Amino acid sequence: MNPMKSPEPQGYYAATSATPPARPTLSGAVSADVCIVGGGFTGLSAALHLAETGARVVLVEADSIGFAASGRNGGQIHTGQRIDQADLEKWLGEVHARDLWNLSEEAKQTVRDLAAKHAIDCDLKPGLIIAAHDAAALKALEADTEHLIRHYAVSDMSMMDTTVTAAQTGSKLYKGGRMDKGGGHLHPLNFARGLAAAAERAGAVLYEHSRARFVETRASDSVVLCENGSVTADHVILACDAFTGQIAPQLAKYIAHVESFIIATKPLNQELYDWVLPTDCAVADTRHVLDYYRKSADRRMLFAGREAYWNPPENISGLVAPRMLTVFPQLVGVPIEYAWRGTVGITRTRMPHFGKLS
């Protein structure tokens, strides 16, 4: 089960993505209406949408486009927020909770619209299964699904019993599950690189290997100071996820870092491909430290799980493969070709935070 060494930190994704164009490194002083720090999903989407309005946009990325979490993640498209809607309603009130629901629905549609509009080849597929790991989790999942159907007019979700869940996933591990046809999965690095190309066609200027060190706020504008240059802009967007605290130290105490791990098998033979996850949906289970997995367009199992808060292990395959084999004992003996990890930024509430500095 020893993996081949992944050629890039993005592992399988980098190995199966077309070589991106060379982009310049920022040198000297430039100006823009908006400077975006971070070349992941958030920064690239912001750059694209702003450039389409006619704004002068400059994006600076410390490494390469999609280098960090946006190019390494599980590639899953989920419905809603990390907290169930009923709990959000109790916490924030129904109006605010519904706004967050609408935002999440808009986000899913935006992904699909961007992929279609800009012809981004990212293996976008529909379908997400939430698999209940025990009876209590199944009960909570049933309550959440009923609430969404009754109060949010959700029509593309349905609960599955143990037998149906086993048939849909190819695993006998689960007590039941939920089929969410509104969810899905994609090749995240290809999606990020597609967004970058679309942003450049719209007029945005993207600099790679141009690490932002500091943001100086002045009376009428701000200056983003990088290693070999600077960007003066009317507005600055920090889209750095786990690494935001390096540029805005006042936010560092609100951001925790978690290392997440993924492995990719060799392409499965026809028998295994038909047996394991026959629906070709993405799957995430209900455990706090969850397993999440899917099949790739080239017939591999991409399986993610476990996490570390410090001292991440070098043998990622040895950490994740036992979990995969617990779910799919059918995969015993299937070689693992890629193993990689990435840093995830989380908050205490597990909810995304948006704000304005100063």
Side-chain angles (χ1 to χ4, degrees):
M1 301 290 279
N2 292 328
M4 297 169 58
K5 185 176 180 180
S6 297
E8 299 289 346
Q10 301 93 341
Y12 163 79
Y13 296 133
T16 55
S17 182
T19 302
R23 294 188 170 92
T25 297
L26 177 65
S27 179
V30 301
S31 63
D33 296 324
V34 183
C35 178
I36 298 169
V37 182
F41 294 151
T42 300
L44 294 168
S45 180
L48 171 57
H49 286 93
L50 284 166
E52 287 180 331
T53 70
R56 294 181 303 131
V57 178
V58 169
L59 181 149
V60 292
E61 160 59 37
D63 202 281
S64 58
I65 294 300
F67 178 79
S70 293
R72 308 188 195 193
N73 64 85
Q76 298 196 355
I77 301 170
H78 282 244
T79 296
Q81 305 290 344
R82 181 67 185 268
I83 298 175
D84 291 346
Q85 280 301 120
D87 292 331
L88 283 176
E89 291 169 7
K90 294 175 185 176
W91 176 29
L92 302 171
E94 185 176 344
V95 173
H96 191 174
R98 189 169 291 274
D99 285 343
L100 291 175
W101 171 262
N102 292 337
L103 186 66
S104 70
E105 289 293 282
E106 179 186 347
K108 291 191 301 181
Q109 190 58 47
T110 297
V111 170
R112 294 183 168 100
D113 289 346
L114 289 172
K117 177 181 178 181
H118 301 287
I120 300 174
D121 185 8
C122 58
D123 304 325
L124 180 59
K125 296 180 180 180
L128 171 73
I129 294 171
I130 304 298
H133 73 287
D134 62 19
L138 179 61
K139 184 177 180 180
L141 190 61
E142 289 172 337
D144 179 56
T145 304
E146 180 182 357
H147 186 79
L148 293 177
I149 292 172
R150 178 178 299 178
H151 297 286
Y152 289 82
V154 172
S155 60
D156 50 9
M157 286 183 183
S158 59
M159 290 299 300
M160 304 182 296
D161 62 18
T162 304
T163 302
V164 175
T165 302
Q168 297 282 3
T169 63
S171 175
K172 299 179 180 179
L173 189 66
Y174 304 115
K175 301 300 182 182
R178 179 172 75 194
M179 172 63 75
D180 178 6
K181 295 180 180 178
H185 57 100
L186 49 65
H187 189 301
L189 183 58
N190 279 347
F191 184 62
R193 288 176 172 176
L195 288 178
E200 289 174 320
R201 289 194 296 270
V205 179
L206 278 52
Y207 292 101
E208 294 184 324
H209 306 288
S210 303
R211 184 179 300 276
R213 294 298 189 184
F214 182 73
V215 178
E216 177 186 349
T217 302
R218 305 188 299 198
S220 60
D221 58 18
S222 296
V223 180
V224 178
L225 301 173
C226 299
E227 292 175 327
N228 297 301
S230 64
V231 183
T232 301
D234 297 331
H235 304 280
V236 176
I237 296 175
L238 299 183
C240 311
D241 191 47
F243 308 105
T244 304
Q246 296 179 7
I247 303 171
Q250 63 268 47
L251 298 182
K253 64 181 179 180
Y254 300 108
I255 305 170
H257 292 179
V258 176
E259 292 294 312
S260 188
F261 310 94
I262 307 181
I263 57 176
T265 68
K266 291 191 69 172
L268 305 179
N269 63 37
Q270 190 64 50
E271 181 182 7
L272 286 175
Y273 183 80
D274 293 340
W275 189 3
V276 173
L277 200 52
T279 54
D280 205 18
C281 294
V283 179
D285 72 18
T286 51
R287 298 187 308 162
H288 180 68
V289 181
L290 72 162
D291 295 332
Y292 52 105
Y293 51 89
R294 62 191 182 91
K295 290 190 293 192
S296 67
D298 61 352
R299 308 168 68 89
R300 303 170 188 267
M301 170 58 67
L302 306 185
F303 197 98
R306 310 301 295 270
E307 62 185 33
Y309 292 86
W310 53 82
N311 298 326
E314 292 296 326
N315 184 8
I316 296 171
S317 177
L319 180 71
V320 180
R323 286 297 315 159
M324 180 183 73
L325 296 180
T326 299
V327 179
F328 295 114
Q330 309 97 306
L331 297 181
V332 169
V334 176
I336 295 171
E337 282 198 332
Y338 299 96
W340 67 100
R341 62 183 175 90
T343 304
V344 180
I346 62 171
T347 64
R348 177 173 293 185
T349 63
R350 300 302 195 269
M351 292 287 288
H353 286 203
F354 299 86
K356 184 177 180 180
L357 293 178
S358 68

